Structure formats: C-alpha cells, structure tokens
Amino acid sequence: MTVAPTETESPPSAEELEELDREELARAKKEKIGRIVGMFVFPFLMVSMMITGYLAAMHAPAPNNMPVAVAGPGAPEFATALESDQGKAVDVRVVGSDAEARDLVFTREITGAVSLPAGSGGTAAVYTAGAAGASQSSSVGQVLTAQVVADGLQPEARDLAPLPAHDTAGMAVMFMTTALMLAGYMPLSLMLSSAPELLRFRRFVPLLAGWAALTAGLVWLVAGPILGAVEGHTAEVLGISWLAVFAVGSVQLFLSRIFGPMAVLVGMLFLMVLGVPASNLGMSIYSLPSLYPVLHNFLPSPATGESLRSVLYFGGNGLAGHLAVLAVGAGIALLATLGLDALKRRRNPDAAPLARTVESLLPGPRPRTRVHYALLAFFPLAMIGMMLTTMLGAMYQPAPKEMPVAVVAATPEMAGQVVQGLDQNMAGLFDLRGLTDTEEAREMVADRTISAAYVLPSAETPHATLITNEAAGMSQQQVVQTVFGQVAAGQHMPLETENVATLSDSDTMGTVSMYLAMGWIMSGFLIIIVGSTAAPMVMGLRTLLPILAGWSLGMAAVVWVIAGPIVGAVHGHFLPLLGVGAVAIFSTALFTTIFVRVLGMLAVLPVIAVLMFLGVPASNGAMSIYMEPEIFRVLHDVLPMPAAVESARSILYFDADIVGTHLTTFAFWAAISLVVVAVIDRFRPRKEVATATADVES
C-alpha cells in the first residue's frame, strides 16, 4: 500500500501574523471594555434595585385592607361604622361568637378583632396577636380602639399571642430568616465565579444538603444559646432552617443555569428586595401596596419567617402550608434544573465546562483546591455569623438606656425633686436633667441634644406637656410617650404632647434617610468590590480616583432620582443630598479599597461588618441608639453609616443644621483611607497594579 505524500504547510506570512495580532488586540480591547462596563453596571443595578424596592414598599406604610372581625351584639352596625370611618384601611367581617373571633386572630387569618358587650356601654375586648408582628398589632389595635371609643365603649386590649420577654421586638425571626436566605443564595454566586465545577447537579445537591445542615446549626446557635433570642423548639427550628436553605439553594441553582453570573441579582430581587417586605416580619403586609400580600403566599422569605413564627409563638399552627411552599419550590427547581441540563447536553454534547472568572478569593495566585473550597465556605459562614451577632444582638431587646430627657419645673428645687423621684422608679432608663425654661427645653429637643422634655403644670398651663421630636426618630418618641404618659397618669395630671418636627406624609416611619444612606454606602463599597475582580486594570490610585469621583456624583444623583421623582419619598433637596451623597460614596469606596488591597474578595467581610452590620444599628435610623447596647452610641459618632443617616435626616427636616459635623467624619475616613492605600501600594508589591497601569497607558 502506498501512502500519498502530504503537503508541508508553509509558515504564516508576516501579513497573516500581523492580522492575527490585530484580531487578538481587538478581542483583548473588547474584553477590557466589557469588564470596565461590568464594573459599573452590576453595582448600579444592585443599588437601584434595592433602594427602589425598599423605598417603594416601605417609605409611607398605611393600613390597606387589613382583615379584622367583629363579634357580639350590634356587630353589623359596628362593622358598617368601622368601614365608613376607615375606608380601604380595613376589610371587616362579622363573626358569630367571641371564640370564633379569638380563633381567627390566633390563626392569623385576621389581624385583629373586637368583641362587643351586651347592652349599651360596657367594655369591648380588642384582640390582637403581638407575635404575628409588633407593627401590625399596634396598627390594628389603634384602628379598632379608636372605633370602640367612638361608639362610647371602654376598650380592653388583649394580646392573644404576646411576644416573649427574651424577644420583645420580635426581631429574632426576622434576622434568622434573613440569615437563612443569605445562606441559600450567597454560596451559589461564589461557586459560579470561582468554583463552577461544584455546580454539577450530582455533586451540588449533596453539598447543598450538608451546607444547609451546617448553616441551620449556626443560625440556631447564634440566635439561641449565644444571644438567647430564641428559647426551646430546637428540632423544629433546625428542620425549618435546613429546608429553607436547601430550597433557596435549589432555586438559585436553577437561576444560575439560566442567568449565569446575573443570577445573584435575580435571587436578590425575589429573596430580599421583594421577599423582605412580603415576609410580614418587619412590617405588616397589610400596610404595604397590594402586591405584597400576594407575594407573601409563595416567596421563600415569607414561608421561612412564618414557619419559624408558627413553631416559636403559635404552637405550630399554620406550619404545614408554609413548609409546603419551601418543599414544593425545592422540588420544582431541582426537576427543572435536571431537565434544563438534559436539554443542553442534547443540543451540545461537547460543550466546554464553565470557566472560572475569579481565580482566588485572596490576592495573588489560586491556593490549593482544599484551601480554596474552605474559603468558599468560610465567606458566607462568617457573613451569617457577623450579621446575626451584631444586628440581632443590638436590636432584639430594645429598651431605653440613659435616654436623655429634661424635666421642666417652675424652680430648680422642684425640678430636682421630680428628677430624683423619677430616677428612683426608672433607674437606668433615662438620663434626666432639671430645667426651668420651657423654651430652652424645646430648643434642646429640636436640636436633638435631648430626646424629649417633660414640662410640669404651671399657673399658665394646668396640664403637663411632653415635648417630642418625631423627625429625630419614631422609636424614641414612642418610648417617651408611653413612659411619660404613665407618669402623668400616676400623678393624676392631664398630658398634652407637642411635636417640634413632624415627619412628612411621604416618610411616615422616618426611614427614608436610612434608605438614602444605604444607597450611598452600598454604592461606595460595591464599586470597589466588583471592580477589583471585574476590572483590576483600573484599580491603581491614579486611575481609580477620577473614576470614583465621577461614580460618586453619578450614583448620588441616581439615589436622589429614585427617592424623589420615581418613588416620591423625597421632595426637593437635590443639591445638598447630591453633595453629601457623593462625599459618602467616595469616602466609603476609599475605605473599601484598603481591604481589597490586602484581602481580595474577602474584603467584603470586614467592610460589610463595619459599614452595615455595625453601621445600621449605630445609625439611629431604624431604632434609637438609646435603646441598644451602649457601644452603639460610641460608634454613632465615628462610623460612616450614622454620618450618612444623620446628614440625610438633617437635610430633610432640620435645615442641614449638623451636616458640617458629619462631612468632617467622611473627610476623616477618606483622608486616612487614601493615605493607607497609598502606603500599601508603595511598600507592598502589587504586580497586578503595575500591569493595570501599563494596560491603561497603552
């Protein structure tokens, strides 16, 4: 047999080599542009989605078709009057007996009920369930009590499921649910970018089962034995937590097959942006837009939160339905993933495996496989542990501690006697000080030097007056109103309340300033975290600083547009909010750069811990710092998040009176961070920065 001679391939010509070089350079340039664009697009979408979702849902909550029941003689007439007075705020039904009304409240089919007495006059029972939601219980209680009083009856409040003493604000379930959602979706984004081989179905499912068990144990350990926010029901809590993490991880696996790296945004949309308001944990779904009661029926965050609430506070009532949501969701997601994988194999049996886009969570080369996998597990475990320890630890037992309040009397001696008497009965709750000038006290309340002023009767005013500042914080206003209302009642004195700064109709809870601040802080650290992996070629200081300046101004404007024209939570104040927001974003980004230089992607842990997990409780936004552990009062004066919240609040309600002080805080953080980054770049070899600079210059 003869073999045909083969032609010897000639080497490529100079023209062909030059063409190949041009194509390679074009591909490299296109990839570089794509990475730089991605550096801006991802944090822009995440911040915009989070701030729009939270502000749109929660900037001005009000009762909306809140289901209530009326029982007893005259119930139809009472129900008609209630509907006439409250309109769409309530959805009233008439039930046949007191027992039925109580059962409906306990099973959470309704939010509250009134049981009317026989005959005219008498006492009407107002039933609520505090463990079904503190804000919901308070809101429906106020609505029903007002109607009872209008009908000439004496209201008697009865809480059929009170919150326990170890979790007086009902925060344990909310933060446990948030931690479990993080445990479910966060590892998927890490695996997709740095260990895609773990996402093969047969490998991932057993890993997910073990991971769910590990994180369920961690959540129970922190919330229960360590903090004491949860007592008993260990097996039930562990089982629900396992199922929640497994279900969320299963759905996120399916989403990653469809959306790839963008699956983290889709997951956050349903788990956090829509899931948190729809969970009925922090705020009643019947005080939000009508979309959220619908979402409450099938999203994993509500199913998890209501399952935990059911076993902890309601003896397991209603548990089965919520568990079914999680189990069915997990099953459908896994089956859909199997089907999608089979379809992809049929269409392209020789498809290449997913490539890694992040080689290591640490700076430098990729570590050994076992070390890398250990870091992948450590990252979300640390995040969950820090979030629960700091935020739940700060807020699950709110109570006034040395809250500054003035007592105003005609003479210093009288003021001193009242202060001494109140101190004996309320030791440690308030930092009481005596004054003799009502106008001075009013000014101190207005400038937030003190939380309130209790003015004793005088010859001109025969009643006591409580001067408060709603815009400075609703939680502290509610506390002083409750406590000093009881003080006045004990002294048999009528009490009138004066509010020196009211919240706007578009910010009825006073949380808009906190969401503005969150948008600024998130914009600052996300641009650096994403940029360090997506576009390391622009992370050198000379290139980075002008980029950050433009980004800071741009995102400050975006946050204002969302809060103002889009949502309607803010009216005006564009220039001051733009300026403060830009400074906050810029300083936060520089602070984040320090840790990115040293820790790579693991920089997320210390950055989130300082800016969010410690910053939010210390911000005086969601809860008064005088109702939390004392350390947060110290942190309030130094951290960026409190500076951002107080600056926004000052601009919105107090003519920017203390903005200068907080700008100094931002300037300090920015200056120190800039110096530290410059020192790191000077003395620590950073090959990637040198390469990046060369790339940019070329």
Side-chain angles (χ1 to χ4, degrees):
M1 181 177 66
T2 61
V3 179
T6 59
E7 295 183 359
T8 302
E9 293 185 1
S10 59
S13 64
E15 292 79 5
E16 290 173 332
L17 288 174
E18 187 175 345
E19 179 64 24
L20 289 173
D21 288 341
R22 281 197 298 268
E23 291 176 358
E24 183 63 30
L25 287 172
R27 280 195 298 270
K29 185 176 182 179
K30 186 181 294 186
E31 179 184 356
K32 179 180 176 181
I33 293 173
R35 285 177 169 271
I36 294 174
V37 170
M39 170 183 176
F40 298 105
V41 169
F42 190 88
F44 168 79
L45 291 176
M46 184 171 288
V47 171
S48 300
M49 185 174 67
M50 293 282 286
I51 302 308
T52 304
Y54 286 165
L55 274 177
M58 297 184 283
H59 73 97
N64 180 25
N65 286 320
M66 192 172 284
V68 298
V70 183
E77 293 79 10
F78 186 95
T80 300
L82 182 60
E83 286 183 327
S84 176
D85 290 344
Q86 297 295 330
K88 294 183 179 180
V90 293
D91 177 14
V92 187
R93 68 184 75 175
V94 175
V95 298
S97 67
D98 177 85
E100 183 180 357
R102 285 187 281 110
D103 183 66
L104 289 171
V105 172
F106 188 80
T107 58
R108 284 96 72 211
E109 290 188 41
I110 60 175
T111 60
V114 174
S115 182
L116 300 172
S120 60
T123 300
V126 178
Y127 296 121
T128 59
S135 66
Q136 174 176 284
S137 176
S138 174
S139 179
V140 72
Q142 291 173 3
V143 169
L144 296 178
T145 298
Q147 191 61 46
V148 168
V149 173
D151 270 28
L153 300 172
Q154 182 68 31
E156 180 184 353
R158 299 183 186 178
D159 192 343
L160 301 179
L163 286 164
H166 55 265
D167 183 24
T168 54
M171 292 286 187
V173 169
M174 184 178 74
F175 283 113
M176 290 172 70
T177 298
T178 303
L180 294 170
M181 297 302 102
L182 286 173
Y185 82 81
M186 183 181 291
L188 272 294
S189 62
L190 296 173
M191 291 180 184
L192 192 62
S193 60
S194 63
E197 67 276 7
L198 297 179
L199 294 179
R200 290 195 295 268
F201 189 90
R202 292 184 179 180
R203 193 172 187 183
F204 177 78
V205 173
L207 281 175
L208 177 60
W211 173 254
L214 177 62
T215 51
L218 175 62
V219 169
W220 167 81
L221 178 66
V222 176
I226 293 178
L227 294 178
V230 171
E231 293 183 0
H233 309 284
T234 300
E236 297 97 322
V237 169
L238 289 173
I240 293 168
S241 300
W242 181 90
L243 179 59
V245 176
F246 188 83
V248 171
S250 299
V251 173
Q252 198 66 20
L253 176 68
F254 174 68
L255 293 177
S256 69
R257 295 290 202 265
I258 299 176
F259 298 103
M262 301 303 287
V264 63
L265 289 177
V266 180
M268 287 190 67
L269 173 64
F270 289 103
L271 296 173
M272 306 301 291
V273 176
L274 297 175
V276 169
S279 68
N280 201 37
L281 298 176
M283 194 172 291
S284 171
I285 53 173
Y286 297 110
S287 63
L288 305 180
S290 56
L291 169 67
Y292 292 94
V294 177
L295 297 175
H296 181 265
N297 295 320
F298 63 87
L299 289 183
S301 299
T304 302
E306 295 290 7
S307 295
L308 291 170
R309 179 181 277 166
S310 174
V311 299
L312 291 175
Y313 308 132
F314 293 95
N317 179 272
L319 176 62
H322 300 300
L323 292 181
V325 170
L326 295 173
V328 171
I332 292 175
L334 292 178
L335 289 174
T337 303
L338 278 174
L340 191 60
D341 287 351
L343 181 63
K344 288 182 177 180
R345 285 194 299 270
R346 183 177 301 175
R347 289 182 174 179
N348 188 5
D350 299 322
L354 290 173
R356 294 192 296 261
T357 57
V358 175
E359 286 297 321
S360 175
L361 300 183
L362 293 170
R366 186 180 180 90
R368 290 180 300 173
T369 300
R370 289 185 179 180
V371 175
H372 183 68
Y373 288 169
L375 289 174
L376 286 179
F378 169 75
F379 190 112
L381 285 174
M383 186 79 77
I384 293 165
M386 288 191 304
M387 189 271 288
L388 280 175
T389 303
T390 54
M391 298 189 73
L392 178 57
M395 294 188 277
Y396 78 100
Q397 285 185 321
K401 302 176 183 69
E402 301 296 331
M403 184 177 286
V405 174
V407 175
V408 183
T411 65
E413 293 77 17
M414 184 182 296
Q417 289 175 359
V418 175
V419 167
Q420 185 177 5
L422 292 176
D423 269 337
Q424 291 177 352
N425 296 320
M426 301 186 298
L429 299 183
F430 296 96
D431 176 14
L432 298 171
R433 62 197 68 182
L435 295 176
T436 58
D437 187 345
T438 302
E439 189 57 37
E440 179 187 359
R442 185 176 289 109
E443 291 176 359
M444 293 176 71
V445 174
D447 65 20
R448 286 91 76 208
T449 302
I450 57 177
S451 300
Y454 181 59
V455 184
L456 297 173
S458 64
E460 295 80 13
T461 54
H463 55 77
T465 303
L466 182 65
I467 303 174
T468 66
N469 189 336
E470 183 183 51
M474 281 196 70
S475 60
Q476 70 181 21
Q477 185 198 43
Q478 290 168 349
V479 166
V480 295
Q481 284 179 334
T482 299
V483 173
F484 285 92
Q486 295 170 352
V487 170
Q491 295 172 339
H492 305 289
M493 290 188 299
L495 177 68
E496 291 189 2
T497 300
E498 175 187 333
N499 186 8
V500 299
T502 58
L503 291 167
S504 68
D505 292 339
S506 59
D507 183 23
T508 55
M509 297 295 290
T511 54
V512 168
S513 57
M514 185 179 69
Y515 291 126
L516 289 172
M518 287 178 62
W520 299 335
I521 299 299
M522 288 178 62
S523 298
F525 72 74
L526 280 175
I527 189 66
I528 299 300
I529 296 296
V530 175
S532 65
T533 55
M537 72 286 296
V538 301
M539 293 301 289
L541 265 184
R542 291 184 180 180
T543 307
L544 183 63
L545 289 177
I547 289 176
L548 288 183
W551 169 260
S552 299
L553 283 169
M555 284 307 296
V558 167
V559 170
W560 180 87
V561 168
I562 291 171
I566 294 177
V567 174
V570 171
H571 303 286
H573 307 289
F574 171 69
L575 287 178
L577 289 176
L578 176 73
V580 171
V583 173
I585 294 169
F586 190 83
S587 63
T588 302
L590 284 177
F591 170 70
T592 306
T593 306
I594 296 174
F595 293 94
V596 165
R597 290 286 201 262
V598 178
L599 298 176
M601 278 193 68
L602 289 182
V604 172
L605 295 176
V607 168
I608 293 288
V610 172
L611 298 179
M612 302 298 288
F613 295 160
L614 292 174
V616 170
S619 70
N620 205 32
M623 185 178 292
S624 170
I625 54 174
Y626 296 108
M627 298 170 67
E628 299 171 346
E630 191 171 350
I631 181 63
F632 291 100
R633 290 180 227 173
V634 178
L635 296 176
H636 177 267
D637 296 331
V638 297
L639 291 183
M641 178 63 85
V645 170
E646 295 292 5
S647 294
R649 177 182 285 154
S650 177
I651 291 169
L652 293 177
Y653 294 108
F654 301 104
D655 297 324
D657 59 347
I658 58 172
V659 168
T661 300
H662 298 298
L663 286 177
T664 303
T665 300
F666 289 129
F668 176 81
W669 281 78
I672 295 298
S673 298
L674 181 61
V675 170
V676 173
V677 172
V679 170
I680 292 173
D681 288 353
R682 173 67 178 82
F683 293 101
R684 184 172 182 268
R686 296 190 68 251
K687 185 177 180 180
E688 63 271 23
V689 171
T691 304
T693 304
D695 290 342
V696 171
E697 291 174 351
S698 64

